[in-house]
Amino acid sequence: QNDAITVTVGTSDYIQADGTFTGSAAAIDVNDAFTLSGGTFISTSGTLSLAGALTISGTPTFTHNSGTFQFDTNAATLTPSTVIFNNVSFTSAVVKTIADSQTMTVAGTLTLTDGSINQTTIPATGSIAAQGNITQASTSDGGSGRIEATSTANQTFTGTATQTAGLLPIFEIDKSAGTLTFSGTIRTSNNWTWTAGTLDAGTSTVVFAGALTITGSHTLNNVIFNGANVNYTIANSNTLTVAGTLTLNNGNINQTTIPATGSIAAQGNIT
């Protein structure tokens, strides 16, 4: 494929069951669905933009070629099977749904610019395994899906959310090695879980903005509770340590059961 020529696939879909496709470094724009069930697909080292559904099945060979897979334009269901993507970005204000019991593995940077990431049914473990860095914009919309920071290497999570804009899907930290470092402002209205791993909150701010449960004893820097008249729950026998400023703007902070010692350890200022 000539690197200077954009490959455009119209609304008739990209369907591959055999053979080999080599994307080189060209931009690839798929305006509807992408279906891969056999053969070898070597993606571009540039950006492949996909407007519709992603369906990978069978035993094809998928090579990410260190490129970016961009999901945009239309609401669609994503069935990634066991392939590994490099960079993945969500850029349009639509709902992308991870199919039941499917995990999208992202080895590079996961970029949450716009739109929602859902599961098909809840709970259905439709998730994204983020093994590289994560970025969240103030225009990201959250969703019922789950993002898991799972890499054994160091990762960064950079947020450009605000107190009032930017949402995450369900988020879990489950690292057996390496450090996850937060920077900027990260905002969510979904459940937040620390299971394992070293977390460096740096000078970051985490904004909890909706009815949710915080699970796992871990330390954050600045924390703001900013949801309107909602209930935040600290899971049983867990302590959220706030090393910076704890800001209580709105909502109720509960334990799962009483007494259950679900608590916040405020080590800095409280407002």
Side-chain angles (χ1 to χ4, degrees):
Q1 170 59 41
N2 189 321
D3 294 353
I5 299 175
T6 298
V7 178
T8 301
V9 180
T11 56
S12 296
D13 304 345
Y14 178 87
I15 301 171
Q16 181 179 346
D18 202 351
T20 298
F21 175 87
T22 302
S24 189
I28 301 174
D29 187 12
V30 181
N31 287 292
D32 205 338
F34 177 100
T35 301
L36 178 64
S37 59
T40 297
F41 183 88
I42 302 172
S43 192
T44 174
S45 60
T47 298
L48 188 156
S49 302
L50 176 62
L54 170 76
T55 305
I56 299 178
S57 61
T59 57
T61 297
F62 176 93
T63 302
H64 60 58
N65 199 19
S66 299
T68 296
F69 217 100
Q70 175 176 293
F71 296 99
D72 57 26
T73 309
N74 299 322
T77 296
L78 311 180
T79 307
S81 188
T82 59
V83 307
I84 297 174
F85 296 86
N86 185 44
N87 302 323
V88 168
S89 59
F90 293 85
T91 61
S92 294
V94 295
V95 176
K96 300 293 186 179
T97 301
I98 310 294
D100 283 357
S101 303
Q102 292 278 311
T103 298
M104 176 178 288
T105 301
V106 180
T109 298
L110 172 64
T111 302
L112 308 174
T113 301
D114 206 346
S116 301
I117 300 169
N118 283 358
Q119 301 180 63
T120 307
T121 56
I122 301 174
T125 63
S127 64
I128 297 176
Q131 297 183 343
N133 298 329
I134 305 168
T135 66
Q136 179 201 19
S138 63
T139 46
S140 62
D141 298 318
S144 64
R146 190 171 78 252
I147 294 175
E148 306 166 343
T150 59
S151 176
T152 57
N154 293 334
Q155 297 174 266
T156 61
F157 189 158
T158 303
T160 57
T162 68
Q163 284 197 38
T164 58
L167 293 172
L168 286 177
I170 297 166
F171 183 65
E172 180 178 359
I173 302 164
D174 190 5
K175 294 174 62 64
S176 60
T179 298
L180 176 62
T181 300
F182 286 172
S183 67
T185 299
I186 298 164
R187 184 174 184 267
T188 187
S189 63
N190 276 310
N191 291 342
W192 175 281
T193 300
W194 177 89
T195 299
T198 301
L199 174 61
D200 179 359
T203 59
S204 68
T205 297
V206 175
V207 181
F208 295 112
L212 54 82
T213 298
I214 300 169
T215 304
S217 294
H218 61 293
T219 300
L220 299 176
N221 184 47
N222 301 321
V223 170
I224 300 173
F225 289 91
N226 202 46
N229 302 314
V230 299
N231 292 318
Y232 309 101
T233 301
I234 310 297
N236 283 351
S237 304
N238 289 175
T239 298
L240 174 63
T241 300
V242 180
T245 298
L246 172 63
T247 303
L248 308 174
N249 283 343
N250 209 334
N252 306 304
I253 299 174
N254 296 333
Q255 301 179 65
T256 308
T257 57
I258 300 174
T261 65
S263 63
I264 296 176
Q267 296 182 340
N269 297 328
I270 304 173
T271 63

